[in-house]
Amino acid sequence: MSFAGQADGAADAFLVRRAQAGDRDAFAALVVRYQGPVFRCCRRHLDAAEAEDAAQETFVRAYVHVQKIDPGRPLLPWLVTIARRLALDRNRKHKPTLDVDAGDKPDPARLEDRLQARTELAIVANGIRTLKPIEQETLLLFHVECLSYADIATVLALPIGTVMTHLHRGRAKLKALVDAPGTKTAVSQGAPR
Amino acid sequence: MSHVTEERLAELGLSLNREPTEEEAAHLSRCGACASSLARDRALTQSLECLPQPETPPDFVGKAMARVSRAEQRAPGRSWLLLLIAALLSASALVVPIALILVANFSAVCVGVATGVEYLVAAVHLVSLAASKLAAALVGTLAVTALAGVVGAGVVGHALGADAAVK
Ligand SMILES: [Zn+2]
């Protein structure tokens, strides 16, 4: 963990204690800090409107149960666990399966995206949608939300070994896509021939 | 040293700021195969960290905090405290006159009845402060309980008082 991570942890602990003492501004500061990962977590399973609703509900629950938060522990895994559970519950009610394409897709019509399509980033962005949902989610929790193996294991309710397997399998599949001869050319030319 | 193991290279490549040991660094500077494998892993990590992500909707924080406020207003925390006090008071409205009856003192029973009435008024006042639907439902229960205490105290007290008068 970096110094920045430790500083974040100390700031979180301070804000959590203030929120537990009834300081709503401190709680609002936590919402500002974690709105991104909480919304993204919901968006991976729901459409934009449902995801916004679930993400807000996550913070309402966090506020109602603020006394249960241990200020000595990282807050993000706790929030993401609530957010994911709410999102999966709604997803089950409205759709039969996990929405694999919950991320915002690059629009091929935009010049910026066409330029980006020449890069490895585009191969990875497209390739990640071909992974199993659990591999996608593990990769994003690790690389985008920067959660540890242990925290991801808590969020996904899986053993740490299984989390590591999903992470390494997902990465191996993406590396194979990046290394595949002709992949970059095909992507740079946009449409399949 | 021999090549850095594949697992170790994958582990080093998981993050852009994981540093190899001195020995590994020395090998990486000499071995093109290990260096390029690590470079591929790190490039993948960089791509994953830079993936376009959905933006949080506008005014998310304002809307979330508005919902927090609504939830707070619905939260029964303080009403429950008032209801607990009211329940304790109405229970004592029963206990106090009975305790007084036990010493068979009619005038004390009268005081007890008066105390009961006072407690009943206090309980109803507190419950009305709670002002929730649940509180309203409990008002009836509490009032009946307290009234039963007061009436019971009066009846028993009267009986005991009459008994004492015969003796
Ligand atoms: Zn080597």
Side-chain angles (χ1 to χ4, degrees), chain A residues 63-87:
Chain A
Y63 188 81
V64 170
H65 298 293
V66 74
Q67 302 300 339
K68 290 184 190 165
I69 302 176
D70 178 355
R73 301 190 61 181
L75 182 60
L76 182 59
W78 189 77
L79 285 172
V80 170
T81 305
I82 301 175
R84 186 172 184 273
R85 204 178 299 141
L86 285 171

PDB file of all heavy atoms in Angstrom, chain A residues 63-87:
ATOM      1  N   TYR A  63     -25.398   5.266   5.431  1.00  0.00           N
ATOM      2  CA  TYR A  63     -25.714   6.292   6.437  1.00  0.00           C
ATOM      3  C   TYR A  63     -26.509   5.682   7.592  1.00  0.00           C
ATOM      4  O   TYR A  63     -26.211   5.918   8.764  1.00  0.00           O
ATOM      5  CB  TYR A  63     -26.504   7.429   5.790  1.00  0.00           C
ATOM      6  CG  TYR A  63     -26.699   8.594   6.724  1.00  0.00           C
ATOM      7  CD1 TYR A  63     -25.694   9.532   6.905  1.00  0.00           C
ATOM      8  CD2 TYR A  63     -27.884   8.743   7.441  1.00  0.00           C
ATOM      9  CE1 TYR A  63     -25.858  10.597   7.771  1.00  0.00           C
ATOM     10  CE2 TYR A  63     -28.058   9.803   8.316  1.00  0.00           C
ATOM     11  CZ  TYR A  63     -27.037  10.728   8.472  1.00  0.00           C
ATOM     12  OH  TYR A  63     -27.206  11.773   9.343  1.00  0.00           O
ATOM     13  N   VAL A  64     -27.513   4.886   7.241  1.00  0.00           N
ATOM     14  CA  VAL A  64     -28.353   4.270   8.270  1.00  0.00           C
ATOM     15  C   VAL A  64     -27.506   3.352   9.170  1.00  0.00           C
ATOM     16  O   VAL A  64     -27.720   3.277  10.373  1.00  0.00           O
ATOM     17  CB  VAL A  64     -29.515   3.489   7.606  1.00  0.00           C
ATOM     18  CG1 VAL A  64     -30.264   2.638   8.626  1.00  0.00           C
ATOM     19  CG2 VAL A  64     -30.474   4.462   6.920  1.00  0.00           C
ATOM     20  N   HIS A  65     -26.520   2.672   8.564  1.00  0.00           N
ATOM     21  CA  HIS A  65     -25.697   1.716   9.327  1.00  0.00           C
ATOM     22  C   HIS A  65     -24.321   2.272   9.640  1.00  0.00           C
ATOM     23  O   HIS A  65     -23.377   1.508   9.834  1.00  0.00           O
ATOM     24  CB  HIS A  65     -25.580   0.409   8.547  1.00  0.00           C
ATOM     25  CG  HIS A  65     -26.900  -0.265   8.322  1.00  0.00           C
ATOM     26  ND1 HIS A  65     -27.638  -0.804   9.348  1.00  0.00           N
ATOM     27  CD2 HIS A  65     -27.646  -0.434   7.203  1.00  0.00           C
ATOM     28  CE1 HIS A  65     -28.759  -1.297   8.858  1.00  0.00           C
ATOM     29  NE2 HIS A  65     -28.797  -1.076   7.556  1.00  0.00           N
ATOM     30  N   VAL A  66     -24.216   3.610   9.685  1.00  0.00           N
ATOM     31  CA  VAL A  66     -22.887   4.229   9.840  1.00  0.00           C
ATOM     32  C   VAL A  66     -22.193   3.780  11.131  1.00  0.00           C
ATOM     33  O   VAL A  66     -20.967   3.675  11.175  1.00  0.00           O
ATOM     34  CB  VAL A  66     -23.002   5.779   9.744  1.00  0.00           C
ATOM     35  CG1 VAL A  66     -23.626   6.377  10.992  1.00  0.00           C
ATOM     36  CG2 VAL A  66     -21.655   6.410   9.447  1.00  0.00           C
ATOM     37  N   GLN A  67     -22.986   3.467  12.158  1.00  0.00           N
ATOM     38  CA  GLN A  67     -22.366   3.051  13.435  1.00  0.00           C
ATOM     39  C   GLN A  67     -21.688   1.682  13.315  1.00  0.00           C
ATOM     40  O   GLN A  67     -20.879   1.327  14.150  1.00  0.00           O
ATOM     41  CB  GLN A  67     -23.414   3.010  14.560  1.00  0.00           C
ATOM     42  CG  GLN A  67     -24.134   4.327  14.802  1.00  0.00           C
ATOM     43  CD  GLN A  67     -23.203   5.482  15.189  1.00  0.00           C
ATOM     44  OE1 GLN A  67     -22.083   5.262  15.650  1.00  0.00           O
ATOM     45  NE2 GLN A  67     -23.648   6.712  14.967  1.00  0.00           N
ATOM     46  N   LYS A  68     -22.053   0.929  12.278  1.00  0.00           N
ATOM     47  CA  LYS A  68     -21.457  -0.404  12.116  1.00  0.00           C
ATOM     48  C   LYS A  68     -20.098  -0.346  11.418  1.00  0.00           C
ATOM     49  O   LYS A  68     -19.408  -1.349  11.326  1.00  0.00           O
ATOM     50  CB  LYS A  68     -22.384  -1.298  11.277  1.00  0.00           C
ATOM     51  CG  LYS A  68     -23.658  -1.692  11.993  1.00  0.00           C
ATOM     52  CD  LYS A  68     -24.455  -2.644  11.122  1.00  0.00           C
ATOM     53  CE  LYS A  68     -25.841  -2.874  11.689  1.00  0.00           C
ATOM     54  NZ  LYS A  68     -26.730  -3.502  10.707  1.00  0.00           N
ATOM     55  N   ILE A  69     -19.749   0.832  10.862  1.00  0.00           N
ATOM     56  CA  ILE A  69     -18.494   0.925  10.112  1.00  0.00           C
ATOM     57  C   ILE A  69     -17.326   0.952  11.089  1.00  0.00           C
ATOM     58  O   ILE A  69     -17.339   1.687  12.070  1.00  0.00           O
ATOM     59  CB  ILE A  69     -18.465   2.198   9.232  1.00  0.00           C
ATOM     60  CG1 ILE A  69     -19.648   2.213   8.270  1.00  0.00           C
ATOM     61  CG2 ILE A  69     -17.150   2.280   8.464  1.00  0.00           C
ATOM     62  CD1 ILE A  69     -19.760   3.482   7.439  1.00  0.00           C
ATOM     63  N   ASP A  70     -16.307   0.132  10.806  1.00  0.00           N
ATOM     64  CA  ASP A  70     -15.075   0.152  11.601  1.00  0.00           C
ATOM     65  C   ASP A  70     -14.139   1.172  10.963  1.00  0.00           C
ATOM     66  O   ASP A  70     -13.642   0.943   9.852  1.00  0.00           O
ATOM     67  CB  ASP A  70     -14.457  -1.256  11.584  1.00  0.00           C
ATOM     68  CG  ASP A  70     -13.145  -1.296  12.341  1.00  0.00           C
ATOM     69  OD1 ASP A  70     -12.680  -0.231  12.789  1.00  0.00           O
ATOM     70  OD2 ASP A  70     -12.594  -2.407  12.486  1.00  0.00           O
ATOM     71  N   PRO A  71     -13.901   2.327  11.645  1.00  0.00           N
ATOM     72  CA  PRO A  71     -13.085   3.371  11.019  1.00  0.00           C
ATOM     73  C   PRO A  71     -11.657   2.907  10.741  1.00  0.00           C
ATOM     74  O   PRO A  71     -10.960   3.494   9.915  1.00  0.00           O
ATOM     75  CB  PRO A  71     -13.076   4.506  12.059  1.00  0.00           C
ATOM     76  CG  PRO A  71     -14.132   4.176  13.041  1.00  0.00           C
ATOM     77  CD  PRO A  71     -14.316   2.685  13.023  1.00  0.00           C
ATOM     78  N   GLY A  72     -11.220   1.840  11.412  1.00  0.00           N
ATOM     79  CA  GLY A  72      -9.859   1.347  11.221  1.00  0.00           C
ATOM     80  C   GLY A  72      -9.693   0.519   9.952  1.00  0.00           C
ATOM     81  O   GLY A  72      -8.580   0.141   9.605  1.00  0.00           O
ATOM     82  N   ARG A  73     -10.797   0.220   9.265  1.00  0.00           N
ATOM     83  CA  ARG A  73     -10.694  -0.623   8.061  1.00  0.00           C
ATOM     84  C   ARG A  73     -11.049   0.185   6.817  1.00  0.00           C
ATOM     85  O   ARG A  73     -11.796   1.158   6.908  1.00  0.00           O
ATOM     86  CB  ARG A  73     -11.618  -1.828   8.196  1.00  0.00           C
ATOM     87  CG  ARG A  73     -11.269  -2.665   9.414  1.00  0.00           C
ATOM     88  CD  ARG A  73     -11.994  -3.960   9.422  1.00  0.00           C
ATOM     89  NE  ARG A  73     -11.646  -4.763   8.265  1.00  0.00           N
ATOM     90  CZ  ARG A  73     -12.168  -5.953   8.009  1.00  0.00           C
ATOM     91  NH1 ARG A  73     -13.078  -6.456   8.809  1.00  0.00           N
ATOM     92  NH2 ARG A  73     -11.801  -6.641   6.958  1.00  0.00           N
ATOM     93  N   PRO A  74     -10.534  -0.250   5.649  1.00  0.00           N
ATOM     94  CA  PRO A  74     -10.854   0.494   4.426  1.00  0.00           C
ATOM     95  C   PRO A  74     -12.360   0.490   4.158  1.00  0.00           C
ATOM     96  O   PRO A  74     -13.018  -0.538   4.325  1.00  0.00           O
ATOM     97  CB  PRO A  74     -10.105  -0.252   3.321  1.00  0.00           C
ATOM     98  CG  PRO A  74      -9.263  -1.274   3.979  1.00  0.00           C
ATOM     99  CD  PRO A  74      -9.667  -1.411   5.394  1.00  0.00           C
ATOM    100  N   LEU A  75     -12.859   1.646   3.758  1.00  0.00           N
ATOM    101  CA  LEU A  75     -14.306   1.803   3.584  1.00  0.00           C
ATOM    102  C   LEU A  75     -14.787   1.268   2.231  1.00  0.00           C
ATOM    103  O   LEU A  75     -15.893   0.732   2.123  1.00  0.00           O
ATOM    104  CB  LEU A  75     -14.664   3.287   3.721  1.00  0.00           C
ATOM    105  CG  LEU A  75     -16.133   3.655   3.624  1.00  0.00           C
ATOM    106  CD1 LEU A  75     -16.945   2.968   4.716  1.00  0.00           C
ATOM    107  CD2 LEU A  75     -16.310   5.165   3.713  1.00  0.00           C
ATOM    108  N   LEU A  76     -13.935   1.426   1.206  1.00  0.00           N
ATOM    109  CA  LEU A  76     -14.391   1.094  -0.147  1.00  0.00           C
ATOM    110  C   LEU A  76     -14.903  -0.347  -0.299  1.00  0.00           C
ATOM    111  O   LEU A  76     -15.981  -0.545  -0.867  1.00  0.00           O
ATOM    112  CB  LEU A  76     -13.280   1.401  -1.170  1.00  0.00           C
ATOM    113  CG  LEU A  76     -13.662   1.143  -2.627  1.00  0.00           C
ATOM    114  CD1 LEU A  76     -14.874   1.965  -3.034  1.00  0.00           C
ATOM    115  CD2 LEU A  76     -12.490   1.438  -3.551  1.00  0.00           C
ATOM    116  N   PRO A  77     -14.184  -1.358   0.208  1.00  0.00           N
ATOM    117  CA  PRO A  77     -14.709  -2.726   0.043  1.00  0.00           C
ATOM    118  C   PRO A  77     -16.086  -2.905   0.675  1.00  0.00           C
ATOM    119  O   PRO A  77     -16.941  -3.598   0.113  1.00  0.00           O
ATOM    120  CB  PRO A  77     -13.673  -3.603   0.763  1.00  0.00           C
ATOM    121  CG  PRO A  77     -12.444  -2.782   0.835  1.00  0.00           C
ATOM    122  CD  PRO A  77     -12.877  -1.356   0.888  1.00  0.00           C
ATOM    123  N   TRP A  78     -16.303  -2.258   1.812  1.00  0.00           N
ATOM    124  CA  TRP A  78     -17.596  -2.346   2.501  1.00  0.00           C
ATOM    125  C   TRP A  78     -18.693  -1.738   1.624  1.00  0.00           C
ATOM    126  O   TRP A  78     -19.757  -2.332   1.424  1.00  0.00           O
ATOM    127  CB  TRP A  78     -17.489  -1.600   3.843  1.00  0.00           C
ATOM    128  CG  TRP A  78     -18.641  -1.768   4.772  1.00  0.00           C
ATOM    129  CD1 TRP A  78     -18.925  -2.852   5.556  1.00  0.00           C
ATOM    130  CD2 TRP A  78     -19.680  -0.802   5.033  1.00  0.00           C
ATOM    131  NE1 TRP A  78     -20.065  -2.621   6.286  1.00  0.00           N
ATOM    132  CE2 TRP A  78     -20.545  -1.386   5.997  1.00  0.00           C
ATOM    133  CE3 TRP A  78     -19.951   0.488   4.562  1.00  0.00           C
ATOM    134  CZ2 TRP A  78     -21.671  -0.704   6.479  1.00  0.00           C
ATOM    135  CZ3 TRP A  78     -21.070   1.149   5.053  1.00  0.00           C
ATOM    136  CH2 TRP A  78     -21.908   0.552   6.001  1.00  0.00           C
ATOM    137  N   LEU A  79     -18.408  -0.548   1.065  1.00  0.00           N
ATOM    138  CA  LEU A  79     -19.397   0.125   0.204  1.00  0.00           C
ATOM    139  C   LEU A  79     -19.659  -0.687  -1.062  1.00  0.00           C
ATOM    140  O   LEU A  79     -20.817  -0.846  -1.485  1.00  0.00           O
ATOM    141  CB  LEU A  79     -18.887   1.517  -0.191  1.00  0.00           C
ATOM    142  CG  LEU A  79     -18.943   2.599   0.884  1.00  0.00           C
ATOM    143  CD1 LEU A  79     -18.230   3.854   0.391  1.00  0.00           C
ATOM    144  CD2 LEU A  79     -20.390   2.915   1.254  1.00  0.00           C
ATOM    145  N   VAL A  80     -18.586  -1.194  -1.660  1.00  0.00           N
ATOM    146  CA  VAL A  80     -18.737  -1.937  -2.915  1.00  0.00           C
ATOM    147  C   VAL A  80     -19.515  -3.237  -2.680  1.00  0.00           C
ATOM    148  O   VAL A  80     -20.293  -3.667  -3.537  1.00  0.00           O
ATOM    149  CB  VAL A  80     -17.355  -2.193  -3.572  1.00  0.00           C
ATOM    150  CG1 VAL A  80     -17.469  -3.167  -4.731  1.00  0.00           C
ATOM    151  CG2 VAL A  80     -16.753  -0.888  -4.065  1.00  0.00           C
ATOM    152  N   THR A  81     -19.318  -3.830  -1.502  1.00  0.00           N
ATOM    153  CA  THR A  81     -20.077  -5.048  -1.184  1.00  0.00           C
ATOM    154  C   THR A  81     -21.574  -4.741  -1.134  1.00  0.00           C
ATOM    155  O   THR A  81     -22.388  -5.478  -1.714  1.00  0.00           O
ATOM    156  CB  THR A  81     -19.615  -5.635   0.173  1.00  0.00           C
ATOM    157  OG1 THR A  81     -18.202  -5.840   0.119  1.00  0.00           O
ATOM    158  CG2 THR A  81     -20.306  -6.953   0.469  1.00  0.00           C
ATOM    159  N   ILE A  82     -21.947  -3.627  -0.479  1.00  0.00           N
ATOM    160  CA  ILE A  82     -23.371  -3.240  -0.427  1.00  0.00           C
ATOM    161  C   ILE A  82     -23.881  -2.935  -1.837  1.00  0.00           C
ATOM    162  O   ILE A  82     -24.935  -3.412  -2.249  1.00  0.00           O
ATOM    163  CB  ILE A  82     -23.580  -1.981   0.454  1.00  0.00           C
ATOM    164  CG1 ILE A  82     -23.100  -2.230   1.886  1.00  0.00           C
ATOM    165  CG2 ILE A  82     -25.051  -1.561   0.447  1.00  0.00           C
ATOM    166  CD1 ILE A  82     -23.181  -0.984   2.755  1.00  0.00           C
ATOM    167  N   ALA A  83     -23.092  -2.146  -2.575  1.00  0.00           N
ATOM    168  CA  ALA A  83     -23.517  -1.711  -3.914  1.00  0.00           C
ATOM    169  C   ALA A  83     -23.740  -2.920  -4.823  1.00  0.00           C
ATOM    170  O   ALA A  83     -24.749  -3.004  -5.532  1.00  0.00           O
ATOM    171  CB  ALA A  83     -22.452  -0.794  -4.520  1.00  0.00           C
ATOM    172  N   ARG A  84     -22.813  -3.861  -4.762  1.00  0.00           N
ATOM    173  CA  ARG A  84     -22.900  -5.028  -5.638  1.00  0.00           C
ATOM    174  C   ARG A  84     -24.116  -5.883  -5.295  1.00  0.00           C
ATOM    175  O   ARG A  84     -24.833  -6.366  -6.177  1.00  0.00           O
ATOM    176  CB  ARG A  84     -21.616  -5.844  -5.523  1.00  0.00           C
ATOM    177  CG  ARG A  84     -21.553  -6.989  -6.497  1.00  0.00           C
ATOM    178  CD  ARG A  84     -20.188  -7.642  -6.462  1.00  0.00           C
ATOM    179  NE  ARG A  84     -20.084  -8.675  -7.465  1.00  0.00           N
ATOM    180  CZ  ARG A  84     -20.451  -9.931  -7.280  1.00  0.00           C
ATOM    181  NH1 ARG A  84     -20.944 -10.297  -6.114  1.00  0.00           N
ATOM    182  NH2 ARG A  84     -20.344 -10.813  -8.237  1.00  0.00           N
ATOM    183  N   ARG A  85     -24.370  -6.034  -3.987  1.00  0.00           N
ATOM    184  CA  ARG A  85     -25.521  -6.848  -3.564  1.00  0.00           C
ATOM    185  C   ARG A  85     -26.826  -6.199  -4.046  1.00  0.00           C
ATOM    186  O   ARG A  85     -27.706  -6.865  -4.589  1.00  0.00           O
ATOM    187  CB  ARG A  85     -25.514  -6.983  -2.041  1.00  0.00           C
ATOM    188  CG  ARG A  85     -26.260  -8.207  -1.558  1.00  0.00           C
ATOM    189  CD  ARG A  85     -26.178  -8.331  -0.049  1.00  0.00           C
ATOM    190  NE  ARG A  85     -24.822  -8.483   0.432  1.00  0.00           N
ATOM    191  CZ  ARG A  85     -24.351  -7.907   1.551  1.00  0.00           C
ATOM    192  NH1 ARG A  85     -25.109  -7.101   2.266  1.00  0.00           N
ATOM    193  NH2 ARG A  85     -23.116  -8.113   1.937  1.00  0.00           N
ATOM    194  N   LEU A  86     -26.933  -4.869  -3.864  1.00  0.00           N
ATOM    195  CA  LEU A  86     -28.138  -4.159  -4.320  1.00  0.00           C
ATOM    196  C   LEU A  86     -28.294  -4.291  -5.834  1.00  0.00           C
ATOM    197  O   LEU A  86     -29.399  -4.531  -6.336  1.00  0.00           O
ATOM    198  CB  LEU A  86     -28.052  -2.679  -3.941  1.00  0.00           C
ATOM    199  CG  LEU A  86     -28.289  -2.331  -2.474  1.00  0.00           C
ATOM    200  CD1 LEU A  86     -27.958  -0.857  -2.219  1.00  0.00           C
ATOM    201  CD2 LEU A  86     -29.736  -2.611  -2.093  1.00  0.00           C
ATOM    202  N   ALA A  87     -27.177  -4.127  -6.549  1.00  0.00           N
ATOM    203  CA  ALA A  87     -27.233  -4.181  -8.019  1.00  0.00           C
ATOM    204  C   ALA A  87     -27.642  -5.575  -8.487  1.00  0.00           C
ATOM    205  O   ALA A  87     -28.482  -5.716  -9.377  1.00  0.00           O
ATOM    206  CB  ALA A  87     -25.881  -3.786  -8.608  1.00  0.00           C
TER     207      ALA A  87
END
